[in-house]
Amino acid sequence: MEKDIMGASDAPKAATKSGAHPEAADFPLREARKLVRDLWQPNVRLYWTDFTIANVLGWGSIAVATLSPLGSIVQIIAVIVATLALYRAVIFIHELAHLRRGTFTWFRRYWNVTCGFPMQVPAYSYADVHIDHHKPKIYGTEEDGEYLPFAVDEPWKIIAFVAQAVFVPGLLALRSLVLVPIMLVSKAFREFVWQRLSSLVIDYRYLRPAPKPGQGRDWMLEDVFTAAYVYAALALVYFDLLPLAFLGIWYVVTVAIFLLNALRTLAAHAYRNGGRERMSQQEEFLDSVDVPGNRYITPLWAPVGLRFHATHHLFPGMPYHNLEKAHERLKTDLPDNRLYLAATRKNLWVAMAQLWREAKAAKQTS
């Protein structure tokens, strides 16, 4: 059973470069759905409370770090707290992508104004992109911007993926400073940026579909407000109304957030689909990873339900606060839970180590 929990016994050979799983058709999907049919209602109050606490704690800690002596213990602790708190706040963008259109309208605005815009990740940059990631005809294929076959590719690409997080915050700020003003006056340039430079993805070759009717105006508004935060921050620093240290702390915290998220992303899937084939929902689940870990420690690097990422791929519309309940039910109540547990890893290190081993094995056999 331990091997099943670690996900090793059911792992396809990395050299096959396929996301297909020999037992996927045997996964008890119908039974699983019945066990969780009462867990689909989001708790509106919890969304507001959870996000607000994380967001206020994060920005408050950035303020403390900005005003503390450089390199002091207080500043170091404040930076750590700001990173973990704002990371949780930012990750609510994942929930926003899944909440039905027309719902949580004020929560979306609140998230954008207090977190998305100042962190340079407006809600639209993830919404439709992530929903496509969950579509059976797109998941794991070349149309999926959130997938790269790390397990069957060169191992150095895993390291490069983590390292590039250092530059992302600066590139996002430059996008607001330089590209958004041009987007306002040039429709062709605006469409180019939306297609190639407006999506939170891991495959930078991804081409985003054109906005649907009515979306273009909303996307442009979100871009303008995101840019306004950058220009406002620079203006406040220029007129000595905001310490220059604030920009440095913001950058350090944002880099740390992207580094944490890069590690979480690598642990979110098995990434074996080198052929970029279409996969069934059961294969998609078995190519994804749950890391239940410690309920207090693991959410620091996989917040807002993302430690149950494989279970999330079984039930994408399930609110984050019910995923642990779903995991426990499926683990204990499925008549045969072997395949369900095959997607579970013991901790982040185990998930990362398995990905690295499979990448090395694929290189040796290529």
Side-chain angles (χ1 to χ4, degrees):
M1 179 61 72
E2 182 66 24
K3 286 187 177 181
D4 290 335
I5 292 176
M6 302 285 279
S9 64
D10 292 296
K13 296 290 186 182
T16 63
K17 298 189 176 184
S18 172
H21 193 288
E23 297 179 85
D26 297 329
F27 185 87
L29 186 57
R30 182 177 298 178
E31 291 87 341
R33 287 172 176 162
K34 289 180 180 178
L35 287 172
V36 301
R37 57 189 171 189
D38 62 325
L39 299 179
W40 294 89
Q41 185 63 36
N43 185 329
V44 177
R45 182 176 296 179
L46 181 59
Y47 274 76
W48 280 86
T49 304
D50 191 346
F51 168 71
T52 298
I53 291 173
N55 202 39
V56 170
L57 181 60
W59 289 112
S61 298
I62 280 188
V64 171
T66 300
L67 299 173
S68 300
L70 182 63
S72 66
I73 296 298
V74 172
Q75 186 182 63
I76 292 171
I77 292 174
V79 166
I80 293 172
V81 173
T83 297
L84 296 175
L86 280 177
Y87 180 34
R88 184 173 187 85
V90 169
I91 286 296
F92 270 88
I93 195 173
H94 178 259
E95 289 298 301
L96 292 177
H98 283 284
L99 291 169
R100 287 186 293 108
R101 292 182 187 274
T103 66
F104 283 74
T105 302
W106 280 103
F107 181 76
R108 294 172 195 272
R109 294 169 180 167
Y110 175 54
W111 183 89
N112 259 333
V113 170
T114 63
C115 184
F117 296 156
M119 295 301 289
Q120 300 297 289
V121 285
Y124 93 87
S125 63
Y126 195 59
D128 297 330
V129 177
H130 183 65
I131 293 303
D132 284 349
H133 174 62
H134 283 276
K135 293 178 180 178
K137 292 183 178 181
I138 293 180
Y139 174 84
T141 70
E142 293 181 349
E143 298 174 73
D144 185 356
E146 290 189 71
Y147 195 98
L148 285 171
F150 289 113
V152 293
D153 211 335
E154 297 283 345
W156 66 264
K157 292 185 179 181
I158 296 175
I159 298 173
F161 173 69
V162 176
Q164 56 88 36
V166 175
F167 306 103
V168 172
L171 294 174
L172 291 175
L174 281 174
R175 178 188 183 279
S176 289
L177 280 169
V178 179
L179 303 189
V180 172
I182 302 174
M183 291 168 67
L184 284 170
V185 298
S186 172
K187 180 181 178 183
F189 186 74
R190 179 164 64 243
E191 291 174 348
F192 170 81
V193 172
W194 280 342
Q195 183 184 50
R196 295 180 176 272
L197 302 170
S198 295
S199 305
L200 292 175
V201 292
I202 66 174
D203 186 349
Y204 295 136
R205 298 168 300 178
Y206 174 74
L207 299 178
R208 184 174 193 152
K212 299 171 186 174
Q215 279 188 325
R217 180 183 65 87
D218 294 337
W219 290 7
M220 194 67 247
L221 279 174
E222 290 194 25
D223 277 330
V224 168
F225 281 117
T226 302
Y229 275 74
V230 178
Y231 279 101
L234 292 178
L236 290 172
V237 170
Y238 179 79
F239 290 108
D240 291 326
L241 298 173
L242 187 69
L244 180 61
F246 171 84
L247 298 183
I249 295 296
W250 175 86
Y251 197 87
V252 169
V253 168
T254 308
V255 165
I257 288 171
F258 273 96
L259 285 171
L260 271 176
N261 194 56
L263 295 175
R264 181 203 63 78
T265 299
L266 289 172
H269 294 287
Y271 296 110
R272 296 178 180 129
N273 193 22
R276 311 306 290 269
E277 306 155 354
R278 291 182 179 178
M279 301 164 68
S280 67
Q281 187 175 8
Q282 294 94 321
E283 288 171 333
E284 180 182 330
F285 167 77
L286 291 165
D287 190 54
S288 303
V289 175
D290 279 338
V291 188
N294 180 286
R295 68 184 311 173
Y296 302 106
I297 303 300
T298 306
L300 296 179
W301 63 264
V304 194
L306 289 179
R307 60 194 177 112
F308 301 105
H309 198 74
T311 301
H312 166 67
H313 270 264
L314 269 185
F315 312 115
M318 184 176 291
Y320 77 98
H321 51 79
N322 283 340
L323 286 172
E324 183 172 10
K325 293 178 185 177
H327 175 79
E328 290 303 315
R329 287 186 192 179
L330 297 172
K331 185 174 68 172
T332 59
D333 296 342
L334 275 175
D336 181 359
N337 67 1
R338 182 180 57 85
L339 283 175
Y340 180 70
L341 291 178
T344 300
R345 308 290 185 269
K346 185 177 180 181
N347 52 46
L348 176 63
W349 170 251
V350 169
M352 295 285 292
Q354 181 164 327
L355 184 66
W356 182 260
R357 285 197 305 271
E358 292 189 14
K360 287 186 67 177
K363 178 176 174 59
Q364 291 170 358
T365 57
S366 61

